[in-house]
Amino acid sequence: MDEVLELVDVIADSELEGAFVWLLRLAGLLAVLAGLGLWLLTEMGLLVVPLALIVGGLVLLIVPSVLLSLAEVFG
């Protein structure tokens, strides 16, 4: 966890944090849409892959802003 916070602190110091956050949010949004597409538009009997994409996408939508705020508080 320390390495992740250190990486986030480096990104926050490089003034590219806004671009980094939006890049991760875009990847999260694409993952959520891909998961929903697999779930709704295909006849998959196993729902593990769409569920993993949706959960992973939601994590990517939420976590970048939380990590950057943690880096600012503790850094």
Side-chain angles (χ1 to χ4, degrees):
M1 184 70 179
D2 291 334
E3 292 84 15
V4 173
L5 287 176
E6 183 178 324
L7 176 66
V8 171
D9 191 33
V10 168
I11 291 171
D13 289 342
S14 70
E15 297 179 2
L16 293 175
E17 64 185 88
F20 180 72
V21 168
W22 281 106
L23 183 67
L24 286 178
R25 286 181 180 165
L26 180 64
L29 182 64
L30 289 175
V32 168
L33 291 176
L36 286 174
L38 280 175
W39 179 48
L40 296 174
L41 302 175
T42 62
E43 296 183 17
M44 293 185 67
L46 186 64
L47 294 176
V48 174
V49 174
L51 180 66
L53 282 172
I54 292 170
V55 170
L58 289 174
V59 167
L60 283 175
L61 285 171
I62 297 169
V63 169
S65 57
V66 173
L67 281 178
L68 287 173
S69 62
L70 281 176
E72 288 177 8
V73 168
F74 292 114

